[in-house]
Every structure is written in structure tokens, then in C-alpha cells.
Amino acid sequence: MRMSRFLPMAAALMFIVLAAVNGHAQEPVKIGAIFSVTGAASFLGEPEKNTVLMLKEQINKSGGINGRPVEIIIEDSKSDESAAVLAAKKLIERDKVIAIIGPSTTGESMAVIPIATKAQVPLISAAAGAGITQPVKDRYWIFKTAQYDTSAVEAIYAHLKRQGITKVGIVSVTTGFGDAGRKALHDMAKQSGITIVSDERYGPKDADMTAQLTKIKASGAQAVINWSIGPGQVVVAKNWTALKMGIPLYQSHGWGSRKNIELAGKAAEGVIAPLSRLVVWNKLPDKHPQKALLRQYSQSYEARFKSEPGAFGGYAHDALMLVVEAAKKAGTDRKAVRDHIENQVKKWPGTSGVFTMSPNDHCGLDKTAFEMVVVKNGDWQILK
Amino acid sequence: MTVFLQFLFSGLTVGSVYALIGMGFNIIYNATSIINLAQGEFVVIGGLLMWFFLESCNVPFFAAIGLSILSAGLIGLIMERLTIRPLRTNDLLVMTMVTIAVSIVMRGLLMFKFGKEPYSYAAFTEGDPLVIGGAVIQLQTFWVLGITAACILGLYAFFNLTMVGKAMRACSFDPTAASLVGIPVSRMIMFSFILSAVVGAVGGAAITPISLMEYDKGPMLAVKGFCAAIMGGLGRGRGAIVGGLTIGILESMTAGYLHSGLKDAVALVILLAILFFRPAGMFGNTTMQRLKGH
């Protein structure tokens, strides 16, 4: 073989060998992620994916997990339950991850739970449904970082009670999010001393909710509660203002995006919602345990992606950091990670709230994870 | 009474949107007998382009409308040249299926450019909503109704009084015969795509201040607009407005007096009923439908 041909080949071979050696010396800690990056729930999956990619760089820059780099394998479930199941199997069997974060939606999470449970892999879901972590005896390997819908409802009902309001009209979107919220509103009503006098629905792409609101107004409700995410919330706020309903409008925790204030303009004034502190971090007192973390996450996300992380990005943040911290303190064994999250996470500040996990609670958040926030002069204002 | 009026106004607002979209279906159907299932995407393009020119480029209002219409027309032209023309087939089913593919591609591109968030801009005329008999109606609703009416008059004149319009209709009845008498059929088809893209885009620009606009709103709008067009009889401009308003008002009455959960079923029930009992639509002509041979 002529020298001129041999040299480049030898060089190439050397690189391959080097790369192999390099890889062996610092074997990465593999964490799986299943997010709805595309499809109907892509508004959840996108900030979640961005968050995880950003955190991975930050973690690896500051020394990884006890010197080992973190590798995060992100699978796109396409907002589809069967795709989520396939992704989970792949992550567990082929990639041999120490834990899985996600999926993004309750439906996909419920589909993946049996797989993770059978394979004994910790799963930290980024979805809100109560069924993900309850009944807890069947959810040994399962955790979640999104607040319960019922906690948001409790926060709203508690605020209503302080205003002396007992009769409410509810309006909700006909999607999984709206269904879950509507159920929570009904379930919590009795024990909170609230009567639902009108219960209306609308489609996710509807252009006008005046008819529903008119009906609520006629029913003698003292407040309106709207449960949706996306453009529906803005349309409801606009219709509520146009109708001059004269009763307060409460939105779900999906309201927490500055974009909603921009889109609704003046119609957003006076709208009240239970929001994750991520949205109002700069209005928290400095001594609040979440403030430093929220500032760091929010600012670095906005600098990099030119958009707000929103509560959804925060769910992925908390899920990943729970796993990373468990792996740092308890090692990368799957059981050790699970045990650490269940027993050692006490008063742990995340983006969604201050978590306290226990064998009886695999979410670790309650209604104190929310602040009641009103829109005033085009900005959020925390209500006392 | 106030409550009834409010339901009526709400229905008019939504119905005028459906009517405008139904019109777009009619134009392409009139020239080609194709059902263009990417019609909803033209509406979305209209709303998002209007936002882009108004808010992102800070172009004055009328220039923004002009630019949106021009760009939408261009997109209609490109769609026809790239997808319908090269097919060289007369198979309507194949062409209609191609429009589904185009709608999916367009949604993807729109998501890529505009992201997944909704967009909106100020209503065409500032001011408080109008109060009539205690019920409120947004000023923008009048714009949508006015634009729909203007489109219908304009299109009626175009299809019945101008040579090009008549030629387009001839192509729809029988492309072979039309080309035998010297009508450039393929150019007429191209025109029809441009025209329906423009009507869709104008509609999108008008409804965005009411309903907001996001990349994946197209299919829902298309379904409702399609029901409006079918109800009025495909190809009938007047039919689309009656169909659209009827569906809108029935939806809002259903939401008001029965239950809002049943609202979305209204359009589909009407669609099924029409297809079963009066396939040519309320204003369609059964004999003509049969003559067309589809």
C-alpha cells in the first residue's frame, strides 16, 4: 500500500480507537425522556425538550453526575399513546436508562406506567392527572412533578370563599385538559362549600363563547371559572369583557403565559388564576425558597430560546433534576434512584413548588404550590 | 329576549366566518369540481400573514391587507402549479386527495415559520362592542359580514357577467367541451386556485381579531365551512352564506338552550341530513348536479 493512501486511513483508525477509549473512560449516565414534541400536545413537549437539552449542558459543564456526563435520550411520542409505549420499551431495553422522565400528557403517562412498573424503572411524569400517582400502592415506581388539577381547584375555591362567593358557573374546553379540570371542579365543589350552577363546554378551536357566558350570567352565578389552555382562554376573556358580565373571571393554571395578556389586551384586566410561581418569580420576596432557582431557570431559558419556559418546561426541569440529584446522592442503580426520590426529597424547591415526597405521596405538591395572581395594568400581580 | 338576541349575535359572528370559508370551497368547485381540502389553510395563511405584515413588519393597515392578498394569491398559484397541474388527471378523487396532502404540508410549514402559539391583532375599527337590546355584538363581526357580502356580490358578478367567470364555470361543467371551444382550461383552474386562496385569506385576516389564529386552526374551519357549502349547495355563493349563518346560529342556539356540549354535533348532523335528503343542497339544482355526472 502506498504511503499517501495509508496515512489518512491510519489517522482515521486512530480516531476511532481514541473515541472508543474516551467513551469508556467516562461512561455517561443515561436518562430517558419521552415528550410530545410533535402532534396535538406539542405545546407541552417543545418547552420540555428545550429545558432538558439546556439542563443537560449546564449539568455536564458543572461536572456531570459525580464526574460522569449525563446523556439524555429524548424520544418524541408524537402525542400518541402507542408511540409513547414503544419509546418506553426502547429506552428501557435498548438504552438501559436509569430512569425515564415524561411523558407529557396524562393519557400517554397512563399507557407507559405498566411498562415502567414491570421493568422496575423509575418514571417521573410531567403530566398532571391524579391517576398517574394514585393509588400510590400500585405506583411504586411512578412519580410526577406537575401539580394536581385538584390543587389548582382548591386554590381557586379557597380564594372564592374569601370573597364570600358560593355560586359559580364553569366553562371548559372539550379536551383532556378541560375534562380533567371539569371533573376536579365538580369533585371539590361539595367539600369546599361551592355550588356549580352552570356547567358549559366549548371546542378547542371555537371563535366565540358568548352564548355559554350568557347562559352562565343568566344562571345567577357569582363568578365564572374557565378551564382550558390555548386560544380559548383569550376568547373567553374577550367575551367576558365585551359582555360586561359584572362577575369575576377565574382561569385555570393554564393561564400563566404572558402571551395570553398580550393577546387579550385590555380584556385580560382583572382575570384571576392560580399560577405556578415560575410565572411571577420576579415578584416573590427574596427569601422565598424557590426564587433563586426560578430566576436562574427562567433567565437562561429566555436568553437561549427567546420564549418563556412556561409551567410545562418547569415540569420537565423538576423531573430531570429529581433524577439527577438522586443519582448524585444515591448512585445510578434504578432502585436507589427510586428510594431516594420517595424518601429523601423533603422541602425540595423545584420550579412547580416545594416538593415533599413520601411513600403516600408521589407528587409532593399541594395547593400551596400556586399563587393566586390577577392581571393588573398588563402585568401579573400576586394576590394576598 | 336579551338572551335570545345574544345567542343570535354570537351565532352571526361564528356563522359569518363559516360562510366566508364555504365561499372558498365554492370557487374552486365552480371551476374544477375539486373539493379543495386545503381551504382552511388558506384562511390560516391570511390571518398569519396579516399579523406578520402588521405587527412584525409594521406595514400600514391597507398595505398589509394588499400584501396578504398578494402573497396568498401567489401561494394559491404555486399550489396549483406544483400539485394539481403535474397530475394531468381528471380523476377528482385523486385531485381532492392531493389537496389533503397540500394541507398537511402547509400546516407543517406554518408551524415552522410561526410556531404553535396563537396570534391576534387589533380589530379593524377600534371601539366598544355595540349594544342592541341589551345584547352585545363586536364591531369586527360587521366587518366579517360585510366582507362576506362583498365577496358574494363580487363573485356573483364575476361568474355570471364576465367572460373569464363564465369560462371558469364552463370548465367545471365539462373540461373537454370547454377546451374544444377554445377555453384555456388549465389557466382557468389556476385562476380558481388564486381566487379561492384570496377569498380564504381575506376571511382569515377578518376573523383573526375575533377568534385568534394559530397554525392548526385550518381543519376545524374547513369542516365547518364545508358543511356550510354543502348545506347551501356546492358552487352556490348565496348558498354558502345562508348555510354558514344557519349553522352558526343553530350552533349558538343549541349551546344556549340545550347544552354547549352538543354544539359541535350540529354542523355534522346538518351535513348528514343534507346528504341523505337533499344532496344538491338547499339551493342546489338536482338536474344540474346530474348533468355534471358526478
Side-chain angles (χ1 to χ4, degrees), chain B residues 18 21-22 25 35 37 220-232 234 247 271 275:
Chain B
Y18 298 165
I21 298 156
F25 279 106
I35 308 287
L37 291 169
M220 186 286 271
L221 291 170
V223 167
K224 297 288 173 71
F226 182 64
C227 293
I230 291 275
M231 188 178 175
L234 267 176
I247 293 175
L271 180 67
L275 290 178

Side-chain angles (χ1 to χ4, degrees), chain B:
Chain B
M1 193 57 201
T2 304
V3 173
F4 174 80
L5 270 183
Q6 190 61 62
F7 294 153
L8 186 70
F9 291 164
S10 169
L12 278 179
T13 308
V14 181
S16 56
V17 175
Y18 298 165
L20 254 177
I21 298 156
M23 299 278 309
F25 279 106
N26 283 341
I27 297 168
I28 291 188
Y29 183 80
N30 264 340
T32 61
S33 296
I34 301 176
I35 308 287
N36 173 26
L37 291 169
Q39 191 60 35
E41 272 63 40
F42 286 145
V43 180
V44 176
I45 284 174
L48 293 182
L49 281 180
M50 186 71 185
W51 175 85
F52 176 74
F53 290 124
L54 263 183
E55 305 282 322
S56 191
C57 308
N58 287 316
V59 173
F61 179 76
F62 286 103
I65 281 247
L67 283 170
S68 309
I69 289 178
L70 273 180
S71 339
L74 194 67
I75 291 168
L77 183 146
I78 294 171
M79 170 181 174
E80 198 274 336
R81 285 287 124 149
L82 288 186
T83 62
I84 303 293
R85 166 77 56 96
L87 277 180
R88 293 179 193 285
T89 169
N90 284 327
D91 191 338
L92 291 176
L93 196 61
V94 171
M95 292 198 271
T96 301
M97 267 154 70
V98 165
T99 66
I100 299 183
V102 171
S103 81
I104 295 170
V105 172
M106 280 197 202
R107 265 204 302 290
L109 292 175
L110 285 169
M111 184 183 87
F112 198 66
K113 172 74 185 83
F114 290 96
K116 291 153 188 161
E117 313 90 76
Y119 291 87
S120 187
Y121 39 84
F124 292 0
T125 28
E126 291 291 323
D128 282 339
L130 211 61
V131 183
I132 303 170
V136 294
I137 184 162
Q138 299 178 54
L139 296 181
Q140 187 70 14
T141 302
F142 293 109
W143 275 102
V144 178
L145 283 171
I147 287 172
T148 312
C151 283
I152 285 168
L153 287 177
L155 289 169
Y156 180 81
F158 176 72
F159 278 121
N160 290 289
L161 304 177
T162 69
M163 210 56 197
V164 183
K166 285 179 180 170
M168 273 167 82
R169 279 170 64 210
C171 296
S172 150
F173 289 131
D174 193 332
T176 325
S179 68
L180 281 175
V181 297
I183 297 172
V185 175
S186 101
R187 186 166 308 160
M188 292 300 134
I189 294 179
M190 186 185 84
F191 278 153
S192 75
F193 271 84
I194 296 177
L195 202 57
S196 86
V198 166
V199 170
V202 171
I207 67 175
T208 300
I210 298 178
S211 70
L212 316 194
M213 195 57 80
E214 64 273 0
Y215 81 104
D216 63 347
K217 217 181 188 88
M220 186 286 271
L221 291 170
V223 167
K224 297 288 173 71
F226 182 64
C227 293
I230 291 275
M231 188 178 175
L234 267 176
R236 300 262 151 175
R238 170 173 58 117
I241 193 163
V242 176
L245 292 181
T246 312
I247 293 175
I249 292 168
L250 279 179
E251 275 191 359
S252 117
M253 294 294 165
T254 311
Y257 289 114
L258 295 172
H259 191 269
S260 41
L262 297 171
K263 182 179 61 70
D264 282 327
V266 171
L268 299 174
V269 168
I270 291 178
L271 180 67
L272 285 177
I274 293 275
L275 290 178
F276 275 130
F277 300 114
R278 216 181 138 70
M282 302 302 277
F283 301 95
N285 185 329
T286 332
T287 330
M288 200 136 95
Q289 204 79 1
R290 223 174 280 138
L291 273 176
K292 290 177 80 171
H294 313 304

Side-chain angles (χ1 to χ4, degrees), chain A residues 132-190:
Chain A
I132 296 171
T133 49
Q134 290 167 350
V136 76
K137 67 174 170 41
D138 299 330
R139 298 287 187 263
Y140 188 76
W141 293 92
I142 316 298
F143 301 87
K144 79 182 179 87
T145 50
Q147 304 97 338
Y148 288 108
D149 288 331
T150 46
S151 303
V153 171
E154 269 181 87
I156 292 180
Y157 281 172
H159 191 258
L160 286 170
K161 288 292 273 210
R162 285 201 295 278
Q163 318 296 312
I165 292 174
T166 54
K167 285 192 287 182
V168 298
I170 65 175
V171 54
S172 55
V173 66
T174 51
T175 61
F177 185 83
D179 290 342
R182 180 168 170 265
K183 184 172 180 296
L185 284 165
H186 279 287
D187 290 350
M188 305 300 294
K190 201 161 178 209

